Amino acid sequence: MALHVYFCVSPCIVFVHHVRSEQVRMLDRFSNKSTSGTLHLTATHLIFVESNAAVTTILHHHIASVEKLSLTTNGCPLVIQCRNFRVVHFVVQKERDCHDIYSSLLRLLRPVSYEELYAFSYNPKQNDQQREEGWQLIDLGAEFERMGVPCDQWQLTDVNRDYKICDTYPRDLYVPITASKPIIVGSSKFRSKGRFPVLTYFYQEKKAAVCRCSQPLSGFSARCLEDESMLQAISKANHNSRFVYVMDTRPKLNAMANRAAGKGYENEDNYSNIRFQFVGIENIHVMRSSLQKLLEVVGSRSLSASDYLLGLESSGWLRHVKAVVDAAICLTKAVTVEGASVLVHCSDGWDRTAQVCSLGALLMDPYYRTIKGFMVLIEKDWISFGHKFADRCDQLDGDPKEVSPVFTQFLDCVWQLTEQFPQAFEFSEWLLLQIHEHVHSCQYGNLLANNQRQREELQLKDRTHSLWAFLLSEQQNYVNPAYCPGHAETHPVLEPSTFHIFVLLFLTSLNLYLDIVSHMKPTICPQETVPSRLFNEVLDTICPSLLSTINRCLINGTVPSCFKHEAVQPLFKNSDLDLTVLSNFNCHSYQTFLRK
Amino acid sequence: MEFSEHIKTANVEDVVLRRPFYQPTKGTLCVTGHHLIFSNRGGDSARPFLLLLRNIDAIEKSVENLLGYSRLFSSTGQSQRPSVSSGTITLKCKDLCVLQLDIPGMEECLNIASSIESLSSLETVSEMYPFFYRPPFLSLQDQWGLSSTEQHYAQMKEIHDGWRVSQVNRDYSVSPSYPPAVIVPHSIDDETLVKAARFRQGGRFPVLCYYHRETGTVIMRSSQPLSGANRKRCREDELLLQAVIDGSELGYIIDTRSSQQAQQARMTGGGFESKSCYRGWKRLHRQLEKGKVLQESLIKLVEACGDQSHSVDRWLSKLENSKWLSHVQTALSTAGLVAECVERDGHSVLVHGSEGTDTSLLVSSLAQLILDPDSRTLAGFLGLLEREWVQAGHPFQQRCAHSAYSHVRLRHEAPVFVLLLDCVWQLARQFPLAMGFSEPLLLRLAKEVYASDYGTFLCNSDQERCVTGVKERTHCLFQSLLRANERQHYSNPLYERTELAIWPSIQPPSLQLWKGLFLQWTDDALHLVEAQKVIQNLVSQCHRPLNEKVENTDG
């Protein structure tokens, strides 16, 4: 069977490659069972249709790596690792077919320009007006107003209207009223990438501000009077406290090393009323390899419980998550208990700073624990302040050293909090999973590119759709049934315990990964509507028992495990019943289409 | 009452009690024969705090006598002030709770401590609290226990052809740890049983514990055969096992020791079924830890969970080092193996370790939970525990004499029953709809097994229970748990009966630490308990209209 390439003009799918059914088998992750089917490659998706019509789709943007293993008697194995941690294992009978798929995937995988991304071709059948409305759902100006800014101490500045001072910041920035334009310009010249201190969250009750910036270019001895007066201005804007905390989220050693490169940290002697403090979150490279190790542990088969725990520990991921949460707790205490303003920075102020500021705000302000509020938080601290989504999430073919799961880690931290305070959050795990899915899917414009300026240049608002509009349109799917709006009144500020957060982390973050790995909801592909439509048609007949099950599953928050009810069967690897070895005892899930 | 000998100081005023989830409170402490009673008269909590002395695992005291003497001789005007010397007693309970009492007066403190020490370690069964507990809602005339072997047999009509109830142990002479009646193959007469029993440790010859209707196969359990170093045989024991697999060609013997351990057991008179003597039986070894190893595992686990220090970087290593989750994994996988043999391959299984009172029970009861929907209901689960643990002679008194905090030298302690509850919890977590009972039941049982108002977990065997009059003079926990209002509390609102076997996943990521038990006294537990209540309410709200709807359509 030859491989043919053809293009057909169907409403939304353009086929590129097509391999006949008996030629491809998909292996189950947990057993040696396999299903045969047809593999299609379209311009945007990889689609595997099983002989029983079950469909598996993978967006090309989700594919992190494709690996061709050495030829076996059954055929040529192809392992696809996805960015949402899914691993799919195909066996293609003919090596030539396999090679063709492999090479076309490699070509499709590595978009070099933004225009190639799915968002520019994705069309959810909305007209322009609907799309514009979608983009207007979240308005950061209104958000600062909600916080009580501008006020008598803080004002909106227009210095960055044309991205002249800092091209990675948004146009609208809030600074102390006493910070004049020369001070701002001077301060920005003394900060890495021009990212001078600006307001990100205002704690109205105590008039305390959370500000963010990048590291100062202090080297071993350099000073900048404007930068010093900038911090002075931040301090003066808060009458509750005589000083402002400066929180360097890096480990001290890293910050010291930066001094040799002309960067560094604030010298307490030069700044009149600051309290300086290191927090010690590791850098993007450490996080990247930590997640890599974690996934290796979680993904490996037949580990003993001991090896598993040790592997988990040595990955360090939980330790890093704890460090981030600890920093956020520290920030929250300074603001809510002491009423002091805090300035947070790391090196460039777009990774660790974004994590700590947004988590801190989540702990301080119940609004961010609602579905809409959480979107606003991401829009503010991550999107507008220039977290480099394109580089960190590897959206375009770029430097692999720039890739790092900083945002994934933030979502994990949030998820830990939702576990510790089940009643405090309006949204459930599914919202976090959906957002994580779409950071990599490049299906919507919000999370594309590295900063606001790039987004405007790409005209994303005119050419793509908004993720928030999509998520809000189906927000009933993401509601946490245990949510109590009253919880916000009794616990306006969350106080997670640092030790037990760690314990809980371990206890359940495994679940998160398992859920991500094995139960991803493939909602991305338009083809997916077929089975669900089918499902809708038969719904009347299998209601209401099914409905009750689903409802209760949703309420319980553990949908996948419910369906294990009939789904998980231990199987022996070998049919000759060699029962003496533990590893012969395996788990296998029979997937029901209900899961989708 | 003889308890008074132990009580040197019965009452102390102005004691400060510190316990999890509560502000420290000042009040009066009172020591009675079985309880510590703490009441703050002025306080808003009307009900006094009651702690069963039996629940106390370890007691630590520290006294301070700063300035005590100088004040003693000072002016009388100061005698009104509370004594400066004081002591602190830390009580570490078997339910893993840690309490602290600040007691004014060094002497009182020492007296109280020594009273607690001696009263909490009383070992005479008939002096224990269950013999004095007389709640208004239960009567001693009620049946003790849920069901007897005969009643259980009578319910299973389908086994009447091949199996019978034997009263051979009616005076406990054949096996002191077995109940008076057991279910055995029809073709085996009592005389053969007596001889077979002599060939098994403790007289625990193979008896039926579960009959699987779908395949007509069974799970049996026993203790190890006493084949010894010179490979003795016992014709009757072989006949008994032959009768079990009569007709089918194969049965499995799951030995809960490693094959090396089984070999070593021969040196001390024990052993295993050799292939040549037991035709048709295939022996498999799965090593399950018990005794000291298990107890130390629990101790390490509890220590790791109580480590509140902020240097938690090594926490996962500590957890790993306790090996508790490995034990859970092994227990579940062995039970899965047994269930697999019965359900998939249609072969009967005999489970035994050495004594047949610990790991054998663990494996056989877990296998039943996997296979049998009847044992997954609330009443069915309690019935299972009664048959497989209480009647089958798990030595509760020895195994649960002390828990994780005790400084006493270990003798026979082992948390086998707690391990069972943990495994059941893992099952219930993986199959949230399949179990008729909820986590609070498992937590309650984990607490009751160490210190209880009820007599169910007293003594080591049915015989001892009869001798000490437990069945006449105490109340039965299982009966009490099945009362209407209790039943509701311990039922799983999500329960939906499934006839299918529930196969647990034993991949390490599927196994979790049972935080409900091991972390129940930490602050986070409060949030989780609260949320659980909300979820439970939501579920029952959702459930009610649906149930009504279903009933309506049925009608």
Side-chain angles (χ1 to χ4, degrees), chain A residues 272-316:
Chain A
S272 49
N273 35 22
I274 66 165
R275 299 232 172 139
F276 186 85
Q277 180 177 359
F278 289 108
V279 185
I281 303 172
E282 297 291 344
N283 63 24
I284 58 168
H285 311 293
V286 175
M287 300 306 179
R288 182 176 53 239
S289 65
S290 168
L291 182 66
Q292 190 61 40
K293 281 185 206 153
L294 177 74
L295 291 176
E296 271 165 32
V297 174
V298 173
S300 50
R301 289 164 62 157
S302 57
L303 270 188
S304 75
S306 287
D307 290 342
Y308 178 71
L309 290 178
L310 290 178
L312 206 64
E313 166 145 336
S314 73
S315 80

Short mmCIF file of all heavy atoms in Angstrom, two decimals, chain A residues 272-316:
data_model
loop_
_atom_site.label_atom_id
_atom_site.label_comp_id
_atom_site.label_asym_id
_atom_site.label_seq_id
_atom_site.Cartn_x
_atom_site.Cartn_y
_atom_site.Cartn_z
N SER A 272 17.00 54.01 50.62
CA SER A 272 16.87 54.47 51.99
C SER A 272 15.93 53.62 52.84
O SER A 272 16.22 53.34 53.98
CB SER A 272 16.41 55.92 52.01
OG SER A 272 15.29 56.06 51.16
N ASN A 273 14.81 53.20 52.31
CA ASN A 273 13.91 52.47 53.20
C ASN A 273 13.37 51.19 52.56
O ASN A 273 12.18 51.06 52.33
CB ASN A 273 12.76 53.36 53.67
CG ASN A 273 12.37 54.32 52.56
OD1 ASN A 273 12.65 54.03 51.39
ND2 ASN A 273 11.76 55.42 52.92
N ILE A 274 14.27 50.32 52.26
CA ILE A 274 13.83 49.03 51.74
C ILE A 274 14.27 47.92 52.69
O ILE A 274 15.21 48.08 53.46
CB ILE A 274 14.38 48.74 50.33
CG1 ILE A 274 15.91 48.57 50.36
CG2 ILE A 274 13.97 49.80 49.34
CD1 ILE A 274 16.46 47.94 49.11
N ARG A 275 13.54 46.84 52.63
CA ARG A 275 13.99 45.61 53.31
C ARG A 275 14.16 44.57 52.22
O ARG A 275 13.19 44.20 51.57
CB ARG A 275 12.95 45.13 54.31
CG ARG A 275 12.69 46.13 55.38
CD ARG A 275 12.82 45.51 56.75
NE ARG A 275 12.75 46.55 57.75
CZ ARG A 275 12.09 46.43 58.89
NH1 ARG A 275 11.45 45.31 59.14
NH2 ARG A 275 12.10 47.40 59.76
N PHE A 276 15.37 44.14 52.04
CA PHE A 276 15.68 43.27 50.92
C PHE A 276 15.71 41.82 51.36
O PHE A 276 16.13 41.50 52.46
CB PHE A 276 17.03 43.66 50.32
CG PHE A 276 17.35 42.91 49.08
CD1 PHE A 276 16.88 43.35 47.86
CD2 PHE A 276 18.11 41.75 49.12
CE1 PHE A 276 17.15 42.64 46.70
CE2 PHE A 276 18.37 41.04 47.99
CZ PHE A 276 17.90 41.48 46.77
N GLN A 277 15.27 40.95 50.46
CA GLN A 277 15.13 39.54 50.86
C GLN A 277 15.18 38.63 49.64
O GLN A 277 14.57 38.94 48.61
CB GLN A 277 13.77 39.43 51.56
CG GLN A 277 13.43 38.08 52.04
CD GLN A 277 12.10 38.12 52.78
OE1 GLN A 277 11.47 39.19 52.93
NE2 GLN A 277 11.66 36.97 53.22
N PHE A 278 15.94 37.52 49.73
CA PHE A 278 15.94 36.53 48.67
C PHE A 278 14.90 35.45 48.98
O PHE A 278 14.66 35.12 50.14
CB PHE A 278 17.31 35.85 48.55
CG PHE A 278 18.36 36.75 47.98
CD1 PHE A 278 19.37 37.26 48.78
CD2 PHE A 278 18.35 37.09 46.64
CE1 PHE A 278 20.33 38.09 48.26
CE2 PHE A 278 19.31 37.92 46.11
CZ PHE A 278 20.30 38.42 46.92
N VAL A 279 14.29 34.88 47.93
CA VAL A 279 13.31 33.82 48.18
C VAL A 279 13.81 32.46 47.72
O VAL A 279 13.49 31.43 48.30
CB VAL A 279 11.96 34.14 47.51
CG1 VAL A 279 10.95 33.10 47.89
CG2 VAL A 279 11.49 35.51 47.93
N GLY A 280 14.60 32.44 46.66
CA GLY A 280 15.22 31.17 46.30
C GLY A 280 14.40 30.23 45.45
O GLY A 280 14.31 29.04 45.72
N ILE A 281 13.77 30.77 44.40
CA ILE A 281 13.14 29.89 43.41
C ILE A 281 14.16 29.66 42.30
O ILE A 281 14.80 30.60 41.84
CB ILE A 281 11.87 30.54 42.84
CG1 ILE A 281 10.89 30.89 43.97
CG2 ILE A 281 11.20 29.63 41.83
CD1 ILE A 281 9.70 31.69 43.52
N GLU A 282 14.28 28.43 41.88
CA GLU A 282 15.32 28.11 40.88
C GLU A 282 14.93 28.65 39.51
O GLU A 282 13.78 29.01 39.25
CB GLU A 282 15.52 26.60 40.82
CG GLU A 282 16.04 25.98 42.10
CD GLU A 282 17.48 26.36 42.42
OE1 GLU A 282 18.17 26.85 41.50
OE2 GLU A 282 17.91 26.17 43.57
N ASN A 283 15.89 28.66 38.59
CA ASN A 283 15.64 29.29 37.29
C ASN A 283 14.96 28.34 36.30
O ASN A 283 14.70 27.17 36.60
CB ASN A 283 16.96 29.83 36.71
CG ASN A 283 17.96 28.72 36.44
OD1 ASN A 283 17.59 27.57 36.26
ND2 ASN A 283 19.23 29.07 36.42
N ILE A 284 14.70 28.85 35.11
CA ILE A 284 13.91 28.09 34.13
C ILE A 284 14.58 26.78 33.72
O ILE A 284 13.91 25.82 33.41
CB ILE A 284 13.60 28.94 32.87
CG1 ILE A 284 14.88 29.43 32.22
CG2 ILE A 284 12.68 30.08 33.18
CD1 ILE A 284 14.64 30.02 30.82
N HIS A 285 15.90 26.77 33.72
CA HIS A 285 16.59 25.56 33.27
C HIS A 285 16.42 24.42 34.28
O HIS A 285 16.20 23.27 33.91
CB HIS A 285 18.07 25.85 33.04
CG HIS A 285 18.28 27.08 32.21
ND1 HIS A 285 17.90 27.14 30.89
CD2 HIS A 285 18.78 28.31 32.52
CE1 HIS A 285 18.18 28.35 30.42
NE2 HIS A 285 18.70 29.08 31.39
N VAL A 286 16.49 24.79 35.55
CA VAL A 286 16.28 23.79 36.61
C VAL A 286 14.86 23.24 36.52
O VAL A 286 14.64 22.03 36.61
CB VAL A 286 16.53 24.43 38.00
CG1 VAL A 286 16.19 23.44 39.09
CG2 VAL A 286 17.96 24.89 38.11
N MET A 287 13.90 24.13 36.30
CA MET A 287 12.50 23.69 36.24
C MET A 287 12.27 22.78 35.05
O MET A 287 11.52 21.81 35.14
CB MET A 287 11.55 24.90 36.12
CG MET A 287 11.64 25.87 37.27
SD MET A 287 11.41 25.08 38.87
CE MET A 287 11.59 26.47 39.96
N ARG A 288 12.91 23.10 33.93
CA ARG A 288 12.74 22.28 32.74
C ARG A 288 13.20 20.86 33.00
O ARG A 288 12.50 19.88 32.75
CB ARG A 288 13.51 22.89 31.56
CG ARG A 288 13.34 22.11 30.27
CD ARG A 288 14.04 22.80 29.11
NE ARG A 288 15.43 23.09 29.41
CZ ARG A 288 15.98 24.31 29.40
NH1 ARG A 288 15.25 25.34 29.08
NH2 ARG A 288 17.25 24.47 29.71
N SER A 289 14.40 20.72 33.56
CA SER A 289 14.91 19.36 33.76
C SER A 289 14.15 18.66 34.88
O SER A 289 13.99 17.44 34.86
CB SER A 289 16.41 19.38 34.02
OG SER A 289 16.66 20.03 35.22
N SER A 290 13.65 19.44 35.84
CA SER A 290 12.87 18.83 36.91
C SER A 290 11.59 18.19 36.36
O SER A 290 11.25 17.06 36.69
CB SER A 290 12.52 19.90 37.94
OG SER A 290 11.56 19.42 38.83
N LEU A 291 10.90 18.92 35.50
CA LEU A 291 9.67 18.37 34.94
C LEU A 291 9.99 17.15 34.07
O LEU A 291 9.26 16.16 34.07
CB LEU A 291 8.94 19.43 34.11
CG LEU A 291 7.61 18.95 33.53
CD1 LEU A 291 6.61 18.66 34.63
CD2 LEU A 291 7.02 19.93 32.55
N GLN A 292 11.08 17.26 33.36
CA GLN A 292 11.50 16.14 32.52
C GLN A 292 11.65 14.87 33.36
O GLN A 292 11.14 13.80 33.03
CB GLN A 292 12.84 16.51 31.85
CG GLN A 292 13.29 15.56 30.77
CD GLN A 292 12.28 15.52 29.63
OE1 GLN A 292 11.73 16.55 29.26
NE2 GLN A 292 12.02 14.33 29.13
N LYS A 293 12.34 15.03 34.49
CA LYS A 293 12.55 13.88 35.37
C LYS A 293 11.23 13.37 35.92
O LYS A 293 10.99 12.17 36.00
CB LYS A 293 13.46 14.27 36.54
CG LYS A 293 14.92 14.31 36.19
CD LYS A 293 15.74 14.59 37.45
CE LYS A 293 17.05 15.26 37.10
NZ LYS A 293 17.57 16.09 38.19
N LEU A 294 10.37 14.31 36.31
CA LEU A 294 9.07 13.92 36.87
C LEU A 294 8.29 13.09 35.86
O LEU A 294 7.72 12.05 36.20
CB LEU A 294 8.28 15.17 37.25
CG LEU A 294 6.87 14.90 37.77
CD1 LEU A 294 6.93 14.36 39.18
CD2 LEU A 294 6.01 16.13 37.74
N LEU A 295 8.28 13.55 34.61
CA LEU A 295 7.50 12.84 33.61
C LEU A 295 8.08 11.46 33.35
O LEU A 295 7.36 10.50 33.09
CB LEU A 295 7.46 13.64 32.31
CG LEU A 295 6.64 14.93 32.40
CD1 LEU A 295 6.73 15.72 31.12
CD2 LEU A 295 5.19 14.61 32.71
N GLU A 296 9.40 11.36 33.44
CA GLU A 296 10.02 10.04 33.27
C GLU A 296 9.53 9.09 34.36
O GLU A 296 9.20 7.94 34.09
CB GLU A 296 11.55 10.16 33.34
CG GLU A 296 12.18 10.43 32.00
CD GLU A 296 13.63 10.88 32.15
OE1 GLU A 296 14.30 10.44 33.11
OE2 GLU A 296 14.06 11.69 31.31
N VAL A 297 9.50 9.60 35.59
CA VAL A 297 9.07 8.74 36.70
C VAL A 297 7.60 8.35 36.54
O VAL A 297 7.24 7.18 36.64
CB VAL A 297 9.27 9.46 38.05
CG1 VAL A 297 8.69 8.65 39.18
CG2 VAL A 297 10.73 9.71 38.29
N VAL A 298 6.77 9.36 36.26
CA VAL A 298 5.33 9.08 36.18
C VAL A 298 5.03 8.18 34.98
O VAL A 298 4.13 7.35 35.02
CB VAL A 298 4.55 10.41 36.07
CG1 VAL A 298 3.08 10.15 35.82
CG2 VAL A 298 4.70 11.20 37.34
N GLY A 299 5.83 8.31 33.94
CA GLY A 299 5.53 7.56 32.74
C GLY A 299 6.10 6.16 32.71
O GLY A 299 5.72 5.36 31.87
N SER A 300 7.00 5.84 33.63
CA SER A 300 7.63 4.54 33.50
C SER A 300 6.72 3.45 34.04
O SER A 300 6.00 3.63 35.02
CB SER A 300 8.97 4.51 34.21
OG SER A 300 8.83 5.00 35.50
N ARG A 301 6.76 2.32 33.40
CA ARG A 301 5.88 1.22 33.77
C ARG A 301 6.52 0.36 34.84
O ARG A 301 7.73 0.28 34.95
CB ARG A 301 5.60 0.37 32.54
CG ARG A 301 4.71 1.06 31.54
CD ARG A 301 4.75 0.41 30.20
NE ARG A 301 4.28 -0.97 30.25
CZ ARG A 301 3.80 -1.60 29.19
NH1 ARG A 301 3.74 -0.99 28.04
NH2 ARG A 301 3.42 -2.85 29.27
N SER A 302 5.66 -0.30 35.59
CA SER A 302 6.08 -1.29 36.59
C SER A 302 7.23 -0.83 37.48
O SER A 302 8.25 -1.47 37.58
CB SER A 302 6.41 -2.63 35.94
OG SER A 302 7.41 -2.47 34.98
N LEU A 303 7.04 0.34 38.08
CA LEU A 303 7.97 0.77 39.11
C LEU A 303 7.46 0.27 40.45
O LEU A 303 6.25 0.16 40.65
CB LEU A 303 8.00 2.29 39.18
CG LEU A 303 8.99 3.06 38.32
CD1 LEU A 303 8.93 4.52 38.71
CD2 LEU A 303 10.38 2.53 38.51
N SER A 304 8.36 -0.01 41.37
CA SER A 304 7.89 -0.34 42.71
C SER A 304 7.50 0.96 43.41
O SER A 304 7.93 2.03 43.01
CB SER A 304 8.97 -1.05 43.50
OG SER A 304 9.94 -0.12 43.89
N ALA A 305 6.69 0.82 44.46
CA ALA A 305 6.24 2.02 45.17
C ALA A 305 7.44 2.81 45.69
O ALA A 305 7.44 4.04 45.66
CB ALA A 305 5.31 1.63 46.32
N SER A 306 8.47 2.12 46.14
CA SER A 306 9.63 2.81 46.67
C SER A 306 10.38 3.58 45.59
O SER A 306 10.70 4.76 45.76
CB SER A 306 10.60 1.80 47.29
OG SER A 306 10.08 1.34 48.48
N ASP A 307 10.63 2.91 44.46
CA ASP A 307 11.35 3.59 43.38
C ASP A 307 10.57 4.80 42.92
O ASP A 307 11.13 5.82 42.56
CB ASP A 307 11.55 2.63 42.19
CG ASP A 307 12.56 1.57 42.53
OD1 ASP A 307 13.30 1.77 43.50
OD2 ASP A 307 12.58 0.54 41.84
N TYR A 308 9.27 4.63 42.93
CA TYR A 308 8.42 5.71 42.47
C TYR A 308 8.57 6.94 43.36
O TYR A 308 8.78 8.05 42.89
CB TYR A 308 6.97 5.22 42.47
CG TYR A 308 5.98 6.27 42.07
CD1 TYR A 308 5.92 6.70 40.75
CD2 TYR A 308 5.15 6.83 43.00
CE1 TYR A 308 5.02 7.67 40.37
CE2 TYR A 308 4.24 7.81 42.63
CZ TYR A 308 4.19 8.22 41.32
OH TYR A 308 3.30 9.18 40.96
N LEU A 309 8.48 6.71 44.68
CA LEU A 309 8.59 7.84 45.61
C LEU A 309 9.96 8.48 45.53
O LEU A 309 10.10 9.70 45.55
CB LEU A 309 8.31 7.37 47.05
CG LEU A 309 6.87 6.99 47.33
CD1 LEU A 309 6.72 6.51 48.76
CD2 LEU A 309 5.95 8.17 47.10
N LEU A 310 10.98 7.64 45.44
CA LEU A 310 12.34 8.20 45.37
C LEU A 310 12.52 8.99 44.07
O LEU A 310 13.13 10.06 44.07
CB LEU A 310 13.37 7.07 45.46
CG LEU A 310 13.46 6.43 46.84
CD1 LEU A 310 14.47 5.30 46.83
CD2 LEU A 310 13.82 7.46 47.89
N GLY A 311 11.98 8.45 42.98
CA GLY A 311 12.08 9.15 41.71
C GLY A 311 11.36 10.50 41.78
O GLY A 311 11.85 11.51 41.29
N LEU A 312 10.22 10.46 42.43
CA LEU A 312 9.44 11.68 42.59
C LEU A 312 10.22 12.73 43.36
O LEU A 312 10.26 13.90 43.01
CB LEU A 312 8.19 11.31 43.38
CG LEU A 312 6.98 12.15 43.20
CD1 LEU A 312 6.51 12.04 41.77
CD2 LEU A 312 5.90 11.65 44.13
N GLU A 313 10.84 12.27 44.41
CA GLU A 313 11.60 13.20 45.24
C GLU A 313 12.79 13.75 44.47
O GLU A 313 13.08 14.94 44.51
CB GLU A 313 12.07 12.50 46.51
CG GLU A 313 13.14 13.31 47.23
CD GLU A 313 13.04 13.22 48.71
OE1 GLU A 313 11.95 12.92 49.21
OE2 GLU A 313 14.06 13.43 49.37
N SER A 314 13.48 12.86 43.76
CA SER A 314 14.70 13.33 43.11
C SER A 314 14.39 14.24 41.93
O SER A 314 15.24 15.02 41.52
CB SER A 314 15.58 12.15 42.68
OG SER A 314 15.00 11.53 41.57
N SER A 315 13.16 14.16 41.41
CA SER A 315 12.82 15.10 40.35
C SER A 315 12.80 16.53 40.89
O SER A 315 13.03 17.48 40.16
CB SER A 315 11.45 14.76 39.75
OG SER A 315 10.43 15.26 40.57
N GLY A 316 12.49 16.67 42.18
CA GLY A 316 12.51 17.99 42.80
C GLY A 316 11.32 18.86 42.46
O GLY A 316 11.20 19.97 42.94
#
